[in-house]
């Protein structure tokens, strides 16, 4: 910088200082100090308000504000709490009486082997589940024979084991690696397009598998892109486990409405992607309606933006590969789809393994490494753990391995043929009932149905009185049944009771005494979703 330029710049600065001093001299020094701080504070407040509106939506924010103001009126909060407690009491349906008889202290003298007799008595109080529950029990037949017996024996043989101790219980460590490898092979790990690096671990269930996939995706995208305010996008039909993961790991979750066919809307998903997006999600099939999302299109979307894409195959992992071999028109859903970075598969559903067994799989080790937790500064020594749990039941790992090895490909093909055919018969039967409609076109073993003329939740209450345990859904109001081997022999019984339920509700509309229809109906229409949230939390808190 030459001397002339320096002098000019100095002159301009002196003039500017003089101008500012002249115009600000009329203000108190304290005002000049506070004004900038107050401006920054107000700017931050405005930014926070806009952030809340952006996250929750304008309508939800207005409703929340109105409800907040109403609760400030004397007596309103007390009235709301009283009404909420009434709903919670009805939801409990007698569970409070069971709590009165529960043990709360150790017996002074142990029961010894007599405890088994006591357990038999308690077990007889369980609901009749054989063929009566949506999903729930996936193994066919009686629990005292066949595959049930084999699983029980396998679990008993390894009841004392823990795969945390890899140097001690090498058998269950091997079982786990083989369960993962066999599951991965069903989902394209042997195909060239998979990349040949598919890896994973066993978990306690679909929720843990999804939670771990989300955690790994978050940390992987932070490593790759430096994302520190992560967001993920899921369809409205995506499992609630993603909400749990979002709360656990401080991730902003966007739920995108599904399209007219109840599949993930790819265009709508694209509109939500931004620089903070770490992952998108698809299901094969989705839990509510048994419909497979457009996995290939979502994979291309994830690939084009360089983000993670998780596919929830918790229901479909042990059905779709075999259904495809049987000739069913199954769209692409696995690691052969470019862009898929992780998959969750439950072995304890259609894999017919004991409850508490699932797998989470990754396209490569680079992503999976972000699942692990390694601790180097603990006085207890060096520590590394692959999943959320440290100690894990080796009995369940052994049970899963035994299930897969005992059934083999032929066994799974036979089972898939039975449940797919049973699902087709049930769907056709539901469509023949004029007052009902099937939600979308189910791809697998779930049939969801609603009604435009009847309260479907009243129909559900009647079915409950007949001993059926179905799942109530919303958006649209409907109920579904997840077909398992338990249902194959009793499809006609189900359809008979369903027709009777429809005719009964049609002739005598109105809630059944003690039924849940009023609660489900009110919850669906309630605009303040925060209040619905409070009801659910209060109900759960009362159960334990």
């Amino acid at each position: 910088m030459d001397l002339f330029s320096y002098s000019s710049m100095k002159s301009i600065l002196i003039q500017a200082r003089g101008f500012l001093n002249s115009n600000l001299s009329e203000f108190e020094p304290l005002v000049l100090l506070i004004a900038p701080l107050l401006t920054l504070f107000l700017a931050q407040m405005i930014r926070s308000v806009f952030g809340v509106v952006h996250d929750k939506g304008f309508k939800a924010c207005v409703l929340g504000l109105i409800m907040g103001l109403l609760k400030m009126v004397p007596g309103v909060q007390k009235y709301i709490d009283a009404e909420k407690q009434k709903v919670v009491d009805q939801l409990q349906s007698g569970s409070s009486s069971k709590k009165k008889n529960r043990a709360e202290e150790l017996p002074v003298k142990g029961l010894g082997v007599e405890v088994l007799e006591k357990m038999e008595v308690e077990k007889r109080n369980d609901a009749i589940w054989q063929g009566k529950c949506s999903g729930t029990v996936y193994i066919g037949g009686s629990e005292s024979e066949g595959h049930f017996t084999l699983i029980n024996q396998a679990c008993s043989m390894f009841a004392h084991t823990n795969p945390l101790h890899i140097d001690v219980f090498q058998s269950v460590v091997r079982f786990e690696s083989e369960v993962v490898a066999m599951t991965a092979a069903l989902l394209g790990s042997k195909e060239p397009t998979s990349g040949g690096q598919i890896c994973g671990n066993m978990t306690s269930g679909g929720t843990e598998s999804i939670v771990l996939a989300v955690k790994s995706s978050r940390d992987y995208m932070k490593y790759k892109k430096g994302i520190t305010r992560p967001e993920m996008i899921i369809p409205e039909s995506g499992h609630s486990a993603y909400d749990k993961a979002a709360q656990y790991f401080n991730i902003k979750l966007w739920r995108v409405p599904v399209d007219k066919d109840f599949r993930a809307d790819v265009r709508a998903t694209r509109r939500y992607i931004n620089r903070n997006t770490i992952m998108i999600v698809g299901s094969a099939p989705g839990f509510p309606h048994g419909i497979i999302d457009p996995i290939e299109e979502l994979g291309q979307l994830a690939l084009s933006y360089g983000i993670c894409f998780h596919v929830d195959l918790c229901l479909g992992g042990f059905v779709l590969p075999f259904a495809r071999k049987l000739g069913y028109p199954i769209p692409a859903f696995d690691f052969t789809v470019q862009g898929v970075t992780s998959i969750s598969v439950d072995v304890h559903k259609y894999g017919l393994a004991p409850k508490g067994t699932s797998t989470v799989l990754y396209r490569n080790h680079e992503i999976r490494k972000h699942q692990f937790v390694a601790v180097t500064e603990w006085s207890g020594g060096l520590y590394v753990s692959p999943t959320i749990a440290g100690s894990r039941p080796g009995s369940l790992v052994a049970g899963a391995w035994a299930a897969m090895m005992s059934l083999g490909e032929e066994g799974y093909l036979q089972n898939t043929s039975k449940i797919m055919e049973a699902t087709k018969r049930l769907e056709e039967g539901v469509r023949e009932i004029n007052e009902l409609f099937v939600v979308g076109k189910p791809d697998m073993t779930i049939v969801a149905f609603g009604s435009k003329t009847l309260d479907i939740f009243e129909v559900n209450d009647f079915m409950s009185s007949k001993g059926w345990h179905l799942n109530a859904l919303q958006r649209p109001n409907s109920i579904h049944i997840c077909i398992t081997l338990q249902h194959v022999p009793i499809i006609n019984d189900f359809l008979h009771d369903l027709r009777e339920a429809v005719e009964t509700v049609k002739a005598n509309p109105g809630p059944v005494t003690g039924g849940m229809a009023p609660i489900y109906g009110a919850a669906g229409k309630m605009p303040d979703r925060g209040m619905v949230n409070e009801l659910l939390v209060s109900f759960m808190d009362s159960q334990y």
Side-chain angles (χ1 to χ4, degrees):
M1 182 181 293
D2 58 32
L3 185 60
F4 176 76
S5 298
Y6 176 78
S7 299
S8 298
M9 182 64 70
K10 183 178 180 181
S11 176
I12 291 171
L13 290 173
I14 291 173
Q15 290 177 18
R17 185 181 66 176
F19 174 80
L20 290 173
N21 286 336
S22 174
N23 284 275
L24 295 175
S25 61
E26 59 186 274
F27 295 100
E28 292 287 337
L30 185 60
V31 172
L32 295 177
L33 178 64
I34 293 176
L37 298 175
L38 185 60
T39 302
L40 286 172
F41 175 76
L42 290 174
Q44 186 63 37
M45 287 289 291
I46 293 171
R47 180 183 178 185
S48 298
V49 169
F50 274 105
V52 171
V53 172
H54 178 259
D55 289 349
K56 296 185 177 181
F58 180 75
K59 182 180 178 181
C61 289
V62 171
L63 285 171
L65 178 62
I66 293 173
M67 289 303 300
L69 293 173
L70 284 174
K71 290 177 181 178
M72 294 174 67
V73 177
V76 171
Q77 181 65 61
K78 187 176 181 180
Y79 173 78
I80 291 175
D81 290 341
E83 291 300 308
K84 186 169 64 176
Q85 189 57 47
K86 290 179 183 178
V87 175
V88 171
D89 291 342
Q90 189 171 352
L91 284 169
Q92 283 182 299
S93 300
S95 61
S96 58
S97 61
K98 298 175 184 177
K99 291 172 67 174
K100 292 179 181 178
N101 299 319
R102 70 183 181 186
E104 297 185 349
E105 293 182 345
L106 283 170
V108 176
K109 183 178 180 181
L111 301 180
V113 294
E114 291 181 10
V115 72
L116 298 176
E117 296 178 12
K118 182 174 177 59
M119 293 174 76
E120 286 288 348
V121 172
E122 291 295 333
K123 187 176 181 180
R124 286 197 286 270
N125 293 326
D126 290 345
I128 297 174
W129 52 262
Q130 290 84 350
K132 288 287 190 175
C133 299
S134 173
T136 311
V137 179
Y138 291 78
I139 302 173
S142 167
E143 61 179 318
S144 61
E145 60 186 22
H147 192 74
F148 274 110
T149 300
L150 183 145
I151 295 303
N152 290 338
Q153 289 178 352
C155 289
S156 177
M157 191 183 305
F158 291 88
H160 61 287
T161 64
N162 180 358
L164 176 67
H165 304 286
I166 59 177
D167 57 331
V168 179
F169 302 114
Q170 297 178 31
S171 54
V172 292
V173 173
R174 176 176 175 174
F175 292 158
E176 176 174 5
S177 67
E178 292 184 358
V179 166
V180 169
M182 290 187 288
T183 305
L186 294 176
L187 304 177
S189 68
K190 303 299 183 181
E191 300 298 323
T193 50
S194 73
Q197 295 189 48
I198 308 302
C199 55
N201 292 92
M202 290 189 67
T203 70
S204 62
T207 292
E208 186 183 359
S209 291
I210 287 173
V211 165
L212 285 172
V214 172
K215 188 265 183 191
S216 303
S217 299
R218 182 199 65 172
D219 293 355
Y220 177 65
M221 294 307 291
K222 182 179 180 180
Y223 168 75
K224 293 288 287 186
K225 289 189 171 185
I227 296 175
T228 56
R229 299 180 65 184
E231 300 181 9
M232 64 177 169
I233 307 163
I234 71 172
E236 209 169 49
S237 55
H239 199 276
S240 55
Y242 296 104
D243 295 82
K244 188 177 286 190
Q247 291 185 36
Y248 286 171
F249 302 132
N250 195 27
I251 298 172
K252 171 60 189 172
L253 183 143
W254 296 103
R255 276 194 177 273
V256 180
V258 293
D259 65 18
K260 60 183 177 61
D261 297 318
F262 297 94
R263 302 180 193 277
D265 190 324
V266 180
R267 289 185 178 181
T269 301
R270 179 184 284 109
R271 288 195 292 269
Y272 277 82
I273 294 177
N274 58 45
R275 64 182 181 181
N276 290 320
T277 303
I278 60 168
M279 69 186 299
I280 59 176
V281 167
S283 304
F287 168 80
H289 314 121
I291 295 173
I292 299 175
D293 288 327
I295 302 302
E296 284 188 301
E297 294 176 53
L298 289 168
Q300 285 300 313
L301 184 62
L303 207 59
S304 65
Y305 281 93
I307 57 179
C308 294
F309 174 32
H310 180 77
V311 179
D312 179 6
L313 270 163
C314 288
L315 272 168
F318 280 86
V319 174
L320 296 181
F322 303 107
R324 176 183 283 171
K325 287 190 176 185
L326 291 169
Y328 286 90
I330 305 297
F333 58 86
D334 55 19
F335 282 114
T336 60
V337 176
Q338 293 301 300
V340 174
T341 52
S342 57
I343 291 178
S344 50
V345 186
D346 282 358
V347 195
H348 64 206
K349 289 188 173 74
Y350 293 105
L352 307 189
K355 288 298 178 185
T357 52
S358 178
T359 60
V360 56
L361 305 172
Y362 299 94
R363 183 170 287 275
N364 55 52
H365 293 270
E366 184 181 3
I367 303 172
R368 205 252 307 244
K369 286 179 180 178
H370 293 275
Q371 173 184 294
F372 303 154
V373 172
V375 180
T376 61
E377 305 306 313
W378 180 34
S379 60
L382 300 177
Y383 178 87
V384 62
S385 177
T387 59
I388 292 175
S391 291
R392 292 182 292 150
S395 58
L396 299 184
V397 174
W401 186 84
M404 295 177 71
M405 294 295 284
S406 66
L407 288 166
E409 184 174 331
E410 289 185 359
Y412 284 118
L413 282 168
Q414 291 171 7
N415 292 338
T416 300
S417 178
K418 291 176 184 177
I419 58 176
M420 290 293 282
E421 182 58 34
T423 303
K424 182 180 179 181
R425 287 195 290 123
L426 187 139
E427 180 187 351
E428 290 174 348
V430 173
R431 290 189 186 278
E432 290 174 358
I433 302 174
N434 294 329
E435 293 80 5
L436 302 179
F437 65 86
V438 174
V439 180
K441 296 179 180 179
D443 292 305
M444 212 183 83
T445 54
I446 291 176
V447 179
F449 50 92
S451 177
K452 294 180 180 178
T453 58
L454 305 175
D455 186 333
I456 196 64
F457 298 132
E458 291 179 13
V459 174
N460 189 34
D461 280 343
F462 183 90
M463 294 296 284
S464 295
S465 71
K466 291 284 188 176
W468 297 97
H469 299 266
L470 309 179
N471 290 97
L473 313 173
Q474 59 182 353
R475 301 176 185 177
N477 286 352
S478 50
I479 53 180
H480 88 203
I481 180 169
C482 176
I483 305 298
T484 74
L485 290 172
Q486 287 286 327
H487 302 114
V488 172
I490 49 84
I491 294 297
N492 290 337
D493 295 340
F494 176 86
L495 290 172
H496 174 272
D497 287 351
L498 183 60
R499 293 188 197 99
E500 185 180 350
V502 167
E503 291 302 318
T504 300
V505 173
K506 186 178 178 180
N508 303 284
V512 177
T513 302
M516 305 300 290
I519 294 175
Y520 280 119
K525 297 174 183 177
M526 197 176 293
D528 183 7
R529 307 311 289 173
M531 188 172 294
V532 179
N533 182 289
E534 291 175 9
L535 281 173
L536 293 174
V537 171
S538 295
F539 167 69
M540 182 55 63
D541 187 52
S542 69
Q543 297 301 295
Y544 300 95

